[in-house]
């Protein structure tokens, strides 16, 4: 108990001193400048992924990489951007969130507050980012899908009834000197994801090594022995939702229920994922808004998004009726807005882009519908986009506004989409979270945002 209090005192001191450092930092002034001007000039080149990984492995915390990019531990060499795959996975993710929230509402409605919900989760197969953790003794490195919307952490284990091919060797609990099997009746898990995929197995406790400083004994994770689908050569899922089998609820004391990540600004750079003290000391943030936790929907993190501004033009979400609930999700790529807001944003964006020729959306699967042909342009002027939250405003990174469709052609599209099936819901996707520090302080129910340091 004493050490716990001491730890929090340390955190406080650190928080305070990091605010002091920020005040003196020059990028604070740059941000202020962005707010005065209503456009950014973005180099076209910067919107194209390069052929090699420029990002160095992170010195602190875990390295967060795009799973298909040249920095991915899963890709031996650079693959060309599979935009189509990203679009399809993104749609599958949002579809799974839509139906999951729908079914939870029905269950809650039918059985009242105490209804025991089956373990279901939105589709982690759609998530684009991976991290590598260590499990057991001797430590085995496993590359897992990073997912703030998943309630369970699992990896495929040997022996396995129905495992899909993964890049890492299968984890063998019997070969780990620190593993202990769970021997109660609640030792098996079974999870049905909302995209129809399924995973089941048993729980094991073992040493989890995130970084040399962050090791957790007796971490409970799922040892998967039967999977219906392929989870893209990864070794499983790192679930950062709030369900009772996640990293968050399992090792909360150790890192005080705080984590922070930065989604890389391009596919050839690395992001980071930090926990606890490391997160507070390395993730600079200056904007705070409440994190809204809904006990009925533990796999989602909600935030009160009140509006979105393009340049000086503001569009209010809070005046919609009903005001949409907004999820911050690492597994969705493109931010979803209620259709009325999306249409207004798109019209305003088109005004800024009127000097460029409009381009047709390349095919129906892309589904980004506001595209421009930027052939011959070295730079593109984009409106600044600001997300307005309760108590704070966050200006997006220039790389978060448009999506360059192909590596070779010069077509860019507005990287937002409407969600006509759920006009009462918005989702902040990872394309818009790029190069921001996003710190989840679950204990104090706060989100912190700041300009991240994972652009290159
Ligand atoms: C099973 O239940 C026991 C007693 O409630 C608990 O201590 C243990 O953590 C549970 N195991 C799992 C894997 O949830
Ligand atoms: C394996 O998973 C399938 C669903 O994909 C399920 O029907 C089957 O019962 C599972 N088998 C075992 C042995 O758990
Ligand atoms: C955010 O922006 C809106 C619109 O410009 C403004 O009214 C509001 O005061 C800003 N909020 C903060 C906390 O700066």
């Amino acid at each position: 108990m004493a050490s716990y209090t001491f730890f929090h005192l340390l955190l406080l001191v650190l928080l305070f001193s990091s605010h002091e450092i920020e005040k003196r930092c020059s990028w604070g002034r740059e941000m202020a400048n962005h707010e005065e001007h209503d456009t950014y000039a973005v180099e076209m080149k910067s919107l194209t992924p390069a052929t090699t990984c420029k990002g160095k492995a992170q010195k602190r915390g875990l390295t967060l990489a795009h799973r298909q990019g040249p920095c991915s531990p899963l890709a031996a060499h650079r693959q060309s951007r599979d935009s189509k795959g990203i679009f399809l996975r993104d749609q599958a993710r949002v579809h799974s969130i839509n139906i999951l929230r729908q079914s939870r509402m029905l269950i809650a409605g039918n059985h009242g507050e105490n209804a025991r919900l089956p373990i279901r989760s939105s589709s982690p197969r759609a998530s684009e980012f991976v991290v590598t953790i260590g499990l057991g003794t001797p430590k085995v490195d496993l590359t897992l899908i990073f997912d703030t919307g998943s309630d369970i952490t699992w990896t495929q284990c040997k022996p396995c009834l129905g495992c899909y091919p993964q890049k890492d060797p299968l984890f063998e609990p019997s070969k780990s000197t620190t593993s202990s099997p769970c021997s109660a009746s609640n030792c098996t898990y079974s999870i049905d994801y909302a995209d129809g995929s399924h995973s089941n197995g048993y729980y094991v406790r073992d040493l989890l090594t995130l970084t040399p400083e962050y090791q957790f004994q007796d971490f409970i994770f799922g040892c998967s022995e039967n999977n219906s689908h392929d989870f893209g050569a990864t070794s499983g899922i790192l679930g950062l939702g709030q369900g009772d089998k996640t990293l968050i609820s399992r090792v909360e004391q150790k890192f005080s229920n705080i984590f922070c990540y930065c989604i890389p600004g391009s596919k050839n750079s690395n992001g980071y994922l930090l926990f606890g003290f490391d997160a507070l000391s390395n993730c600079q943030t200056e904007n705070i808004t409440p994190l809204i936790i809904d006990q009925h929907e533990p796999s989602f993190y909600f935030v009160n998004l009140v509006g979105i501004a393009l340049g000086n033009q503001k569009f209010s979400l809070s005046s919609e009726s009903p005001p949409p609930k907004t999820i911050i999700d690492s597994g969705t790529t493109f931010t979803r807005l209620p259709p009325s807001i999306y249409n207004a944003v798109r019209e305003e964006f088109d005004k800024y882009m009127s000097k460029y020729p409009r381009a047709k959306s390349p095919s129906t699967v892309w589904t980004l519908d506001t595209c421009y042909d930027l052939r011959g342009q070295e730079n593109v002027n984009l409106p600044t986009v600001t997300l307005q939250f309760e108590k704070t405003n966050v200006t997006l990174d220039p790389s978060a506004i448009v999506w360059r469709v192909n590596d070779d052609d010069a077509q860019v599209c507005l990287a937002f989409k409407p969600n006509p099936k759920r006009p009462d819901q918005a989702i902040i996707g990872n394309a818009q979270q790029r190069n921001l520090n996003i710190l989840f302080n679950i204990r104090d129910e706060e989100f912190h945002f700041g300009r991240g340091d994972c652009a290159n």
Side-chain angles (χ1 to χ4, degrees):
M1 192 63 211
S3 65
Y4 192 59
T5 314
F6 177 68
F7 179 64
H8 282 103
L9 193 69
L10 254 178
L11 293 190
L12 260 179
V13 169
L14 213 107
L15 256 180
F16 186 73
S17 55
S18 68
H19 277 291
E20 283 304 302
I21 293 163
E22 269 159 33
K23 278 188 211 146
R24 284 181 259 121
C25 243
S26 61
W27 56 256
R29 285 197 298 277
E30 280 172 39
M31 283 297 266
N33 280 340
H34 274 319
E35 269 147 37
E36 283 160 27
H37 301 292
D38 65 351
T39 60
Y40 329 77
V42 180
E43 256 192 299
M44 275 299 285
K45 248 191 351 219
S46 72
L47 300 171
T48 316
T51 49
T52 50
C53 178
K54 288 189 297 173
K56 296 179 203 78
Q58 298 297 333
K59 281 192 236 71
R60 294 220 139 242
L62 300 173
T63 299
L64 191 66
H66 194 282
R67 70 183 191 187
Q68 292 181 321
C71 296
S72 169
L74 301 175
H77 52 84
R78 190 223 170 202
Q79 302 168 336
S80 67
R81 166 143 74 175
D82 171 24
S83 275
K84 185 175 169 192
I86 292 174
F87 280 78
L88 291 173
R89 287 194 292 273
D90 176 60
Q91 266 165 299
R93 174 74 169 196
V94 171
H95 181 65
S96 78
I97 291 175
N98 288 349
I99 58 174
L100 188 65
R101 296 199 61 219
Q102 190 67 34
S103 67
R104 284 200 175 144
M105 268 157 46
L106 285 178
I107 292 167
N110 285 343
H111 304 287
E113 302 225 333
N114 297 324
R116 231 186 104 69
L117 305 181
I119 301 187
R120 293 198 65 193
S121 200
S122 51
S123 158
R125 291 197 307 138
S127 294
E128 298 294 333
F129 295 92
V130 292
V131 292
T132 303
I133 55 118
L135 203 56
T137 312
K139 175 170 83 77
V140 175
D141 287 334
L142 300 169
T143 297
L144 306 180
I145 293 175
F146 158 79
D147 190 8
T148 59
S150 273
D151 290 335
I152 279 191
T153 294
W154 59 256
T155 187
Q156 300 196 110
C157 288
K158 197 170 173 181
C160 195
L161 299 170
C163 283
Y164 58 87
Q166 65 176 43
K167 179 158 182 289
D168 304 318
L170 289 179
F171 183 69
E172 277 184 84
S174 62
K175 295 249 169 91
S176 169
T177 57
T178 42
S179 113
S180 54
C182 164
S183 55
S185 58
N186 55 356
C187 282
T188 59
Y189 82 90
S190 174
I191 180 157
D192 291 318
Y193 292 110
D195 65 349
S197 59
H198 166 90
S199 172
N200 68 282
Y202 50 96
Y203 288 111
V204 167
R205 290 168 196 271
D206 207 335
L207 176 69
L208 169 70
T209 304
L210 296 177
T211 62
E213 301 82 36
Y214 277 82
Q215 293 195 319
F216 305 100
Q217 274 158 28
D218 295 328
F219 174 68
I220 298 178
F221 62 94
C223 240
S224 147
E225 53 179 8
N226 181 29
N227 293 298
S228 66
H229 287 66
D230 190 319
F231 285 69
T234 66
S235 303
I237 313 295
L238 182 71
L240 289 173
Q242 305 152 77
D244 66 351
K245 298 293 186 305
T246 66
L247 197 58
I248 300 306
S249 53
R250 286 297 169 184
V251 291
E252 63 184 87
Q253 295 266 318
K254 268 273 186 83
F255 58 73
S256 199
N257 251 340
I258 291 170
F259 66 94
C260 171
Y261 63 78
C262 182
I263 302 272
S266 74
K267 273 189 15 177
N268 60 322
S269 52
N270 279 321
Y272 43 84
L273 170 62
L274 300 157
F275 293 92
F277 190 75
D278 270 359
L280 287 172
S281 50
N282 292 286
C283 269
Q284 307 241 315
T285 57
E286 67 277 3
N287 310 75
I288 303 180
T289 190
L291 157 66
I292 301 159
I293 291 175
D294 182 338
Q295 301 302 342
H296 298 302
E297 301 193 79
S299 29
F300 300 115
Y301 291 103
F302 293 98
V303 68
N304 192 0
L305 179 67
V306 296
I308 175 168
L310 268 77
N312 300 318
Q313 192 67 42
K314 299 168 186 85
F315 304 98
S316 165
L317 272 79
S318 51
S319 57
E320 293 282 288
S321 75
K325 275 183 93 170
T326 301
I327 298 168
I328 285 206
D329 186 34
S330 70
T332 299
T333 297
F334 302 107
T335 290
R336 298 305 200 276
L337 296 169
S340 57
I341 302 287
Y342 174 73
N343 289 337
V345 163
R346 174 187 151 184
E347 254 175 56
E348 184 65 20
F349 183 74
D350 194 49
K351 287 185 196 156
Y352 279 91
M353 302 294 281
S354 58
K355 57 177 173 287
Y356 305 116
R358 274 297 280 266
K360 253 187 30 201
S361 190
S363 96
T364 48
V365 293
W366 309 96
T367 61
L368 295 179
D369 64 4
T370 308
C371 303
Y372 301 85
D373 183 347
L374 299 183
R375 244 172 300 176
Q377 307 283 341
E378 257 174 53
N379 294 301
V380 51
N381 280 313
L382 300 173
T384 55
V385 177
T386 304
L387 298 182
Q388 302 181 334
F389 296 103
E390 183 183 343
K391 301 205 170 100
T392 196
N393 295 330
V394 176
T395 298
L396 300 185
D397 192 76
S399 69
I401 298 165
V402 288
W403 184 265
R404 187 162 180 174
V405 176
N406 276 313
D407 295 4
D408 340 302
D409 74 20
Q411 184 167 333
V412 300
C413 304
L414 176 64
F416 289 78
K417 289 173 77 165
N419 185 9
K421 294 239 165 68
R422 291 300 301 252
D424 59 337
Q425 166 185 291
I427 305 172
I428 300 174
N430 62 51
Q432 280 62 48
Q433 297 173 32
R434 285 169 171 214
N435 207 23
L436 290 174
N437 283 333
I438 303 185
L439 187 140
F440 292 58
N441 180 338
I442 295 146
R443 196 186 50 125
D444 298 334
E445 302 189 7
E446 284 174 355
F447 268 113
H448 297 230
F449 293 91
R451 180 131 142 201
D453 188 20
C454 63
N456 305 303

